[in-house]
Amino acid sequence: MVTAQSPTVNPGENLVIEEIPQISSSLTETVERYTQFRSAGLASWHPIRREMLISTRFADTPQVHLVKFPLGSRKQLTFFPERVGGGSFQPTQGEYFVFSKDIGGNEFNQNYRYDLATGDITLLTDGKSKNSRGVWSQRGDRMIYTSTRRTGKDNDFYIIDPKNPQSDRLLAKVEGGGWGGLDWSQDDRQLLIQQYISANESYLWLMDTQLGEKQLLTPKKDKEKVAYDGGVFSKDGKGLYVITDRDFEFLRLAYIDLATSQYKYLTTNIPWDVEDFDLSHDGKYIAFVTNEDGASVLHLLETATGKEKTLPKLPVGQIFSINWHRNNQDLGFTLVSAKTTADVYSLNITNNKIDRWTESETGGLNTGNFTEAKPVRWQSFDKKTISGFLYLPPAKFTGKRPVIIDIHGGPEGQFRPSFLGRINYYLNELGIAILFPNVRGSTGYGKTFLTLDNGYLREDSVKDIGTLLDWIATQPDLDKDRILVTGGSYGGYMSLAVATKYSDKIRASIDIVGISNFVTFLEKTESYRRDLRRVEYGDERDPKMREFLLKISPLNNATSIKKPLFVIHGQNDPRVPVNEAEQIVATVKKNQVPVWYLMAKDEGHGFSKKKNVDYQFYATVMFVKEFLLK
């Protein structure tokens, strides 16, 4: 019973809670330092000065900040209640930048111009549809972006001079939600665009930037599906640098000769996915990042010789947002590791000097003592090897440790060793081991593995967790009788599916913005996403597939959920509508098992506002203590 001496946490007017007990202030004080981590990400270099825009959070949501030199002050430029994901400088003078934001996590991003001289902010889009940030022309006088404004589901191409919002016009109509711009040609006459069908199928086109006419560059190749992930024009305009898995199990960096359509592969010697690259403004170097068993490795390739340049060794972690300054010397990037939160760095390629631009706060905790990930592997039901990463609590915790299995979303995502933030509380203070599996269908392990859960193979990935539960039972330091499973988005579906199939082997489950019924999900997810998701999950309009999807949906097997369940969702989720949460909560309650429910009226596909994220964390800690540790 909570007494007057034990004040409680007010969940706030935007949170709807069911069955969650009152949270005492003493709990919040216990976990406080683990809620104070900050991070920063590189958004854009200034085209002339050695300055940059970054994204970081000081109040409730991430906003755009300007940093004028390494470890300089982070000057906040945008102040919105909603998160702003970053900005993009006008690429020749840098007198203004363009940024995007949505409302309440609905992902219907609008674009805005921010004038540095005055601080004035001007809306550039229609205020209603879903818009991409867009791609700058070489001259910096136009942007081409995609928008759903015409039909609500088709990602048409629009062109605008951001200094003159009235110049905005429809450039080209397309069908489908998977279209996006990549790069303007050097003469600004053509735009390289991508048509995304699925994680293992996409196409590259060239579009005339005046007329909007487009021409297919990468026709279908026999029966083989080919993925393209990014592309830029070479500086002489004669070819393209792209990432593709054409004729290979992994994504390679390739050069396509536009005159002959011949491919030259540049990274065949690396048996891992190339995940990001950027061409220097003088065209002499390509910086690229490979995903090597979950760790990012930065490479630098000389375009004239095809040879790699030796770079200084970076901490094992993940590297994002690689971006060349126009001085062709400074390569900016965001780096995160198990012991360091995400921060912004630059590498000078002439002397291999690394500058740190941000040093984000860590709540006063010594993150140098945080646990590193340990790779683990186990055999699944069909003898395929499945892998994941295990974080063990400090040695002060003896005996068999309880386990949280945390399953990534996507489904074509991948857990990769990173900074765990708040999750370190479970390791360091509660002595819980955390295991992040990469079940079949995850990226990073080749295109064959990526497709092993598609369509009628959906439940094979759930069986991967079933065999993981058996593997845990064989481990001397893990407690098979104290296992909780959690996950977000597709991981939320997986958590629910495990709760229906292996209820006798787990203590509890947590479903965060997860799918409970594939048919209602496919019918109600936003129209611009629907066909893209049908490629992955199956088309619910086909009677045979519909029957299968209904059969495997956790909602229709919910009578088998016999252990406590915690469901978390955002009311404005455009991907997995909140109905998916409401129906599983109502159904599982009939089983006479504890069901906690947390819904935020001002969030979408996952919580982003600090006050909501904090309450979710407090409630999750209580749930874990109550149902996993007791």
Side-chain angles (χ1 to χ4, degrees):
M1 180 174 173
V2 178
T3 66
Q5 285 73 39
S6 302
T8 58
V9 176
N10 178 2
E13 60 184 16
N14 284 316
L15 294 181
V16 174
I17 61 173
E18 294 178 13
E19 304 303 324
I20 300 174
Q22 287 188 324
I23 297 171
S24 72
S25 295
S26 61
L27 183 146
T28 69
E29 289 162 11
T30 304
V31 305
E32 175 68 17
R33 290 195 299 170
Y34 288 88
T35 68
Q36 297 301 334
F37 297 118
R38 287 202 181 101
S39 61
L42 173 61
S44 182
W45 281 108
H46 191 278
I48 301 170
R49 299 188 291 272
R50 195 170 180 259
E51 301 174 359
M52 61 171 64
L53 297 177
I54 65 155
S55 175
T56 192
R57 176 194 59 76
F58 276 97
D60 207 32
T61 55
Q63 299 292 321
V64 178
H65 296 66
L66 178 67
V67 181
K68 293 194 171 186
F69 51 86
L71 291 180
S73 63
R74 295 158 287 184
K75 181 184 177 186
Q76 188 167 339
L77 300 179
T78 61
F79 295 83
F80 290 100
E82 306 294 345
R83 62 181 165 185
V84 179
S88 176
F89 271 121
Q90 188 278 342
T92 58
Q93 299 302 311
E95 294 168 353
Y96 65 91
F97 63 87
V98 174
F99 69 90
S100 310
K101 74 174 185 69
D102 70 359
I103 297 174
N106 65 7
E107 299 185 25
F108 279 63
N109 280 325
Q110 306 303 319
N111 293 336
Y112 300 81
R113 185 186 78 232
Y114 182 105
D115 292 297
L116 288 164
T118 63
D120 289 346
I121 293 173
T122 306
L123 176 67
L124 300 177
T125 43
D126 67 345
K128 297 177 288 191
S129 57
K130 177 182 171 66
N131 304 278
S132 67
R133 175 84 56 77
V135 186
W136 283 105
S137 64
Q138 301 293 338
R139 287 200 301 270
D141 58 348
R142 287 165 293 166
M143 292 182 96
I144 290 178
Y145 66 98
T146 56
S147 177
T148 61
R149 76 182 63 159
R150 182 175 61 90
T151 64
K153 65 184 181 70
D154 299 311
N155 249 350
D156 296 332
F157 288 86
Y158 289 75
I159 188 166
I160 187 173
D161 173 2
K163 289 187 81 170
N164 176 19
Q166 283 69 43
S167 67
D168 187 42
R169 68 179 177 90
L170 176 65
L171 178 63
K173 296 177 183 178
V174 293
E175 285 187 21
W179 294 88
L182 295 175
D183 191 42
W184 291 63
S185 61
Q186 290 301 302
D187 60 9
D188 279 343
R189 291 181 178 176
Q190 292 181 305
L191 180 75
L192 178 65
I193 63 175
Q194 179 186 30
Q195 180 189 14
Y196 176 94
I197 306 295
S198 69
N200 62 320
E201 182 181 6
S202 46
Y203 300 92
L204 296 178
W205 299 67
L206 283 180
M207 177 179 284
D208 184 300
T209 58
Q210 291 297 317
L211 304 174
E213 295 168 350
K214 63 184 190 298
Q215 143 199 2
L216 183 62
L217 275 178
T218 57
K220 280 197 174 176
K221 188 175 182 294
D222 305 321
K223 292 182 180 177
E224 182 194 10
K225 289 181 178 177
V226 177
Y228 291 87
D229 189 9
V232 298
F233 284 90
S234 61
K235 295 304 171 182
D236 61 10
K238 294 179 179 178
L240 302 170
Y241 293 104
V242 302
I243 295 173
T244 181
D245 64 4
R246 189 177 188 264
D247 297 328
F248 206 57
E249 187 64 24
F250 292 91
L251 291 161
R252 290 183 286 184
L253 193 60
Y255 174 82
I256 305 175
D257 186 304
L258 288 172
T260 65
S261 297
Q262 292 298 302
Y263 284 66
K264 180 183 178 184
Y265 297 105
L266 309 176
T267 58
T268 305
N269 58 316
I270 304 172
W272 298 100
D273 283 342
V274 175
E275 57 183 358
D276 191 13
F277 78 102
D278 195 31
L279 179 66
S280 62
H281 294 272
D282 59 9
K284 291 181 180 178
Y285 290 101
I286 298 176
F288 66 95
V289 178
T290 50
N291 169 6
E292 304 192 8
D293 210 7
S296 292
V297 180
L298 180 65
H299 302 261
L300 187 62
L301 194 72
E302 204 171 25
T303 54
T305 64
K307 290 181 179 175
E308 276 203 45
K309 185 174 160 68
T310 303
L311 297 177
K313 192 170 173 58
L314 295 170
V316 175
Q318 292 182 65
I319 297 167
F320 305 102
S321 311
I322 55 172
N323 193 311
W324 286 98
H325 192 282
R326 285 188 171 252
N327 64 18
N328 297 306
Q329 293 183 3
D330 287 307
L331 178 71
F333 55 92
T334 305
L335 172 69
V336 59
S337 73
K339 296 177 186 292
T340 57
T341 183
D343 271 313
V344 182
Y345 300 79
S346 66
L347 166 68
N348 185 305
I349 64 161
T350 60
N351 58 19
N352 272 355
K353 181 174 182 280
I354 293 175
D355 281 326
R356 184 170 185 167
W357 286 72
T358 64
E359 190 169 9
S360 297
E361 293 77 7
T362 57
L365 289 162
N366 179 8
T367 60
N369 296 330
F370 283 7
T371 305
E372 297 265 12
K374 169 185 162 188
V376 293
R377 290 176 170 78
W378 65 96
Q379 262 200 353
S380 197
F381 68 97
D382 56 358
K383 307 302 182 194
K384 284 194 168 50
T385 298
I386 309 297
S387 64
F389 292 92
L390 173 65
Y391 290 78
L392 289 169
K396 68 181 181 184
F397 294 100
T398 56
K400 289 181 176 251
R401 304 318 308 156
V403 184
I404 292 176
I405 299 173
D406 193 332
I407 308 169
H408 67 70
E412 57 283 297
Q414 179 191 19
F415 175 80
R416 300 172 61 185
S418 186
F419 188 73
L420 295 184
R422 296 156 188 260
I423 294 175
N424 285 291
Y425 175 80
Y426 302 111
L427 287 159
N428 298 343
E429 311 298 337
L430 300 183
I432 300 169
I434 319 279
L435 206 161
F436 296 90
N438 285 317
V439 295
R440 67 191 64 206
S442 302
T443 52
Y445 305 98
K447 62 185 178 186
T448 303
F449 192 81
L450 181 65
T451 60
L452 291 180
D453 66 341
N454 285 7
Y456 291 105
L457 302 175
R458 178 62 44 212
E459 287 197 305
D460 286 359
S461 60
V462 183
K463 293 175 188 174
D464 290 340
I465 302 297
T467 54
L468 173 58
L469 295 170
D470 295 337
W471 178 86
I472 288 172
T474 68
Q475 300 305 299
D477 48 358
L478 303 179
D479 188 347
K480 70 177 177 60
D481 296 319
R482 289 188 294 168
I483 299 174
L484 179 147
V485 62
T486 182
S489 192
Y490 178 74
Y493 153 72
M494 290 286 287
S495 181
L496 291 172
V498 169
T500 66
K501 290 192 172 301
Y502 307 107
S503 200
D504 58 327
K505 294 184 177 180
I506 65 171
R507 282 279 189 95
S509 57
I510 302 172
D511 157 31
I512 306 166
V513 298
I515 300 164
S516 62
N517 181 328
F518 281 110
V519 170
T520 56
F521 157 69
L522 288 165
E523 288 176 341
K524 294 183 179 182
T525 191
E526 281 290 344
S527 55
Y528 61 83
R529 305 183 72 253
R530 204 165 291 146
D531 286 340
L532 300 175
R533 294 293 81 195
R534 282 170 175 152
V535 176
E536 171 70 40
Y537 295 120
D539 192 334
E540 84 289 356
R541 296 167 300 185
D542 173 73
K544 186 182 173 194
M545 177 55 76
R546 187 183 188 92
E547 181 184 358
F548 171 75
L549 291 171
L550 288 170
K551 180 184 161 198
I552 68 166
S553 291
L555 185 68
N556 296 326
N557 299 282
T559 52
S560 301
I561 299 179
K562 305 292 188 188
K563 299 294 172 64
L565 173 66
F566 188 8
V567 177
I568 301 160
H569 220 102
Q571 188 174 50
N572 306 319
D573 192 336
R575 304 185 188 201
V576 181
V578 70
N579 173 65
E580 295 299 307
E582 294 167 343
Q583 60 194 9
I584 196 71
V585 167
T587 304
V588 177
K589 276 183 177 177
K590 298 172 187 172
N591 296 353
Q592 304 300 306
V593 297
V595 181
W596 295 13
Y597 181 45
L598 173 62
M599 189 272 283
K601 297 176 186 175
D602 57 345
E603 300 279 13
H605 196 61
F607 292 5
S608 67
K609 296 180 172 70
K610 186 176 186 298
K611 59 180 181 291
N612 295 338
V613 175
D614 285 349
Y615 189 88
Q616 177 185 342
F617 181 54
Y618 305 149
T620 305
V621 168
M622 280 211 326
F623 186 83
V624 167
K625 285 182 171 180
E626 180 69 24
F627 299 115
L628 178 63
L629 298 186
K630 278 192 177 175

